Amino acid sequence: MHPAELFELIVGMFLAVLALHYLAHRLNLPPAAALLVGGSALAFLPGLPSVAIDPELVLVLFLPPLLMDGAWYTALAPFKRHMAGILSLAVGAVVFTAFAVAIVAKLLMPDLPFAACVALGAVLSPPDAVSARAVLQRVRLPRRLMTLLEGESLLNDAAGLVLFRFAVAAVLTGSFSLVEAGGSFVLLVLGGLLVGGAIGGLWVLLLRRLGDDSLMIVATVLVCWSAYIAGEMLHVSGVIATVAAGLTCGWFQHVVFGAGVRLRAVAFWQSLVFLLEAAVFMLIGFSLRGVLERVGGISVVVEQMAGPVALIVLAVLVARFLWVFGVDAGVTMLRRAGWTRACPLGARASLVMSWAGMRGVVTLAVALSLPAEMPQRDLMLVTAFAVIAVTVLLQGTSLGLLIRLAQPPEDDRAAPPLDLHAAENAMFKAQFVAVEKHAYDADGKLIHPQLLARYRTRATASAKFEGTDEERAHAIASHFDTVIAAVDAGRAELVRLHRAGQIDDATLHDLERDLDLEELAAVSAKG
């Protein structure tokens, strides 16, 4: 494909992304499902060239920024508090699912080497960070479940990739050691933590010395790829290195970013992540055509592969249920015996956790990287795409409904000591104290009466409000709706003056920026 044609295809793909996102919004569907179906349909349009996906390029291009985005906003306190549960899912569930799939594949295809069956299980076992983000953004979960799912999506790729590499090596060399694989995994994780932590620390030191907002934003964007590539070059886990760098940067960004650079960086980063996530699901859809061409067409899939593929997909889904409910039952028994203080999830929360196992770009990229000598490679490719399609289209579209029906309880122990209202009161009081110190000159004369009155009102009105949470929310919404209406009126007047030639462009942009900041503050406070 000519480079110009490739660029035209990319532009066309992103235009399709906008249309599919709009369609998903109108139909109240998860965008990931619409993009996957849309990409699959577009792949078979007459005249559209076949898209060949390089698996290594897919991993290094898409995975680091999407992992970074998840790690950046991860709350460290609940992440550490639920580390045991996260590791149970990110490592235990991945290994259990891989071997469960391997056993089912071996029963279905006795001639297939067990190491190849494990390789297939490793391809299918890790739920995907991109797919999880795409779905979790649309649902509301208790804090504990959200922390577990987000933490799992950040760490499980490392376990799946290590297991996959050892299984492939076993197929090609004829030897496999689970102990050696476990030891290698520990070293890869520890090395990734060191590399990612070091790069995150260098980022903090660099941003303290950069004075240009644009340079700070560019440096922040490059951290994710720097950590991933450095990890892979040093033969440790690039996934863990990226997550560690993201956690470090997310922790320190509050003190190294100013308000202006944070607003610009967040806006740029959200647009970048949106495009990358959309491209991932479109590329998965495009890959269907290549997979079908490799195996000989849809008729070959239906006639020769449908049965084994369906059973393996079922094994993937059932294995997660068995692990989640099994671990929760074990925690319940240990708690009753007095051996642990850990609190079990319960049946309703376990049901939601079991159903939230969407696969995506990692499964596809790893499947495409299977060596040509791998036995039953075509079947593995078809199975990988089937698992992605079933989990994204079935689980992704029904997870919200399942959450509403199951209504998993909130873990009260996970709640922070202060709620939003209490934290807001503390912030207002601190602001009033600071303004009060600067409101008078050296002679004790009041020089900022309006500021003092404004911050005194904020500090006292919120604390004195005695209504219910619903009444408070209604009062806040009404207040800031009025502010937003005033901003809209001011912006309309500026535009009228500009169109009438009474103010120039510079005046329009300066005052409009003030109104934009005021509107952002009002919308944030209202929300």
Side-chain angles (χ1 to χ4, degrees):
M1 185 185 301
H2 190 276
E5 294 177 339
L6 177 61
F7 178 73
E8 292 169 359
L9 180 62
I10 293 173
V11 173
M13 180 182 71
F14 284 127
L15 290 174
V17 163
L18 296 178
L20 290 169
H21 257 272
Y22 175 76
L23 182 63
H25 176 72
R26 297 291 295 178
L27 298 177
N28 197 27
L29 293 173
L35 292 170
L36 183 60
V37 173
S40 301
L42 292 173
F44 291 94
L45 286 178
L48 188 71
S50 180
V51 178
I53 301 176
D54 185 303
E56 293 295 329
L57 178 61
V58 168
L59 287 178
V60 75
L61 178 61
F62 293 102
L63 194 56
L66 298 175
L67 286 172
M68 179 79 170
D69 188 59
W72 185 278
Y73 293 105
T74 295
L76 281 179
F79 186 80
K80 290 187 292 185
R81 184 166 59 248
H82 297 299
M83 181 57 70
I86 291 171
L87 291 178
S88 169
L89 293 167
V91 180
V94 167
V95 175
F96 179 79
T97 302
F99 280 92
V101 170
I103 293 171
V104 172
K106 185 66 176 178
L107 293 174
L108 293 172
M109 297 168 285
D111 296 334
L112 188 63
F114 188 70
C117 297
V118 175
L120 173 60
V123 170
L124 305 178
S125 58
D128 185 61
V130 183
S131 300
R133 277 176 43 83
V135 173
L136 292 178
Q137 287 174 347
R138 294 174 48 84
V139 299
R140 183 176 181 84
L141 279 171
R143 293 185 187 91
R144 184 183 181 187
L145 296 192
M146 186 65 78
T147 300
L148 290 172
L149 289 173
E150 289 178 345
E152 176 195 16
S153 70
L154 291 175
L155 303 180
N156 58 13
D157 291 336
L161 290 172
V162 170
L163 186 59
F164 171 77
R165 288 168 182 169
F166 271 87
V168 170
V171 173
L172 300 180
T173 63
S175 63
F176 175 76
S177 170
L178 185 60
V179 175
E180 183 182 353
S184 176
F185 175 73
V186 172
L187 292 176
L188 290 172
V189 169
L190 293 177
L193 290 173
L194 291 175
V195 171
I199 289 179
L202 289 174
W203 174 83
V204 174
L205 294 176
L206 177 64
L207 259 64
R208 291 187 186 277
R209 288 161 174 77
L210 288 176
D212 185 271
D213 288 1
S214 297
L215 291 179
M216 296 174 74
I217 295 172
V218 171
T220 303
V221 172
L222 293 178
V223 166
C224 60
W225 285 294
S226 300
Y228 185 88
I229 294 172
E232 294 297 312
M233 289 179 62
L234 295 173
H235 304 292
V236 299
S237 174
V239 171
I240 298 298
T242 306
V243 171
L247 291 172
T248 304
C249 296
W251 179 261
F252 285 100
Q253 59 98 3
H254 305 287
V255 295
V256 297
F257 276 168
V261 68
R262 183 180 295 108
L263 287 173
R264 292 174 59 193
V266 168
F268 176 80
W269 188 256
Q270 288 177 342
S271 299
L272 177 64
V273 168
F274 169 79
L275 291 176
L276 289 175
E277 283 185 347
V280 163
F281 289 105
M282 291 292 286
L283 289 175
I284 292 174
F286 283 158
S287 70
L288 176 61
R289 176 175 170 180
V291 170
L292 293 179
E293 289 175 350
R294 285 188 186 92
V295 302
I298 187 67
S299 59
V300 174
V301 173
V302 174
E303 295 171 5
Q304 302 178 14
M305 302 181 182
V309 168
L311 291 174
I312 293 173
V313 171
L314 182 62
V316 171
L317 300 179
V318 172
R320 185 172 177 89
F321 274 84
L322 292 177
W323 179 264
V324 172
F325 276 90
V327 169
D328 200 54
V331 172
T332 301
M333 294 173 60
L334 291 175
R335 183 177 176 85
R336 289 175 179 173
W339 292 350
T340 180
R341 295 182 180 179
C343 183
L345 292 173
R348 289 180 292 168
S350 295
L351 178 63
V352 172
M353 291 290 295
S354 301
W355 196 241
M358 291 69 65
R359 272 64 173 179
V361 62
V362 174
T363 292
L364 176 67
V366 174
L368 291 174
S369 69
L370 286 164
E373 310 87 58
M374 179 66 68
Q376 294 290 349
R377 183 177 187 272
D378 291 343
L379 175 66
M380 294 182 182
L381 289 174
V382 173
T383 305
F385 190 89
V387 168
I388 295 170
V390 169
T391 55
V392 171
L393 298 179
L394 177 61
Q395 293 181 321
T397 55
S398 60
L399 182 60
L401 176 62
L402 179 64
I403 293 170
R404 290 192 293 272
L405 293 175
Q407 295 184 346
E410 179 66 79
D411 182 5
D412 293 335
R413 299 179 307 159
L418 297 181
D419 60 11
L420 176 63
H421 181 58
E424 192 175 50
N425 286 338
M427 180 185 71
F428 288 159
K429 290 177 181 177
Q431 288 180 316
F432 173 67
V433 170
V435 170
E436 193 174 29
K437 290 180 180 179
H438 294 84
Y440 300 88
D441 63 13
D443 298 328
K445 180 182 178 182
L446 181 62
I447 55 176
H448 299 300
Q450 292 180 331
L451 279 176
L452 187 63
R454 180 173 133 199
Y455 279 91
R456 179 184 285 113
T457 300
R458 291 179 65 183
T460 56
S462 179
K464 291 180 179 178
F465 190 89
E466 297 179 352
T468 64
D469 289 343
E470 291 76 13
E471 291 171 338
R472 181 186 296 111
H474 178 73
I476 291 173
S478 176
H479 172 86
F480 287 107
D481 280 340
T482 304
V483 175
I484 293 171
V487 170
D488 289 340
R491 186 181 291 112
E493 178 62 12
L494 282 179
V495 173
R496 188 191 69 79
L497 293 173
H498 179 263
R499 299 298 184 264
Q502 295 180 286
I503 59 175
D504 59 14
D505 286 356
T507 301
L508 171 65
H509 294 315
D510 286 345
L511 294 179
E512 187 178 44
R513 180 177 178 275
D514 292 341
L515 289 175
D516 289 342
L517 292 174
E518 186 177 359
E519 181 177 352
L520 286 174
V523 170
S524 176
K526 178 184 173 182

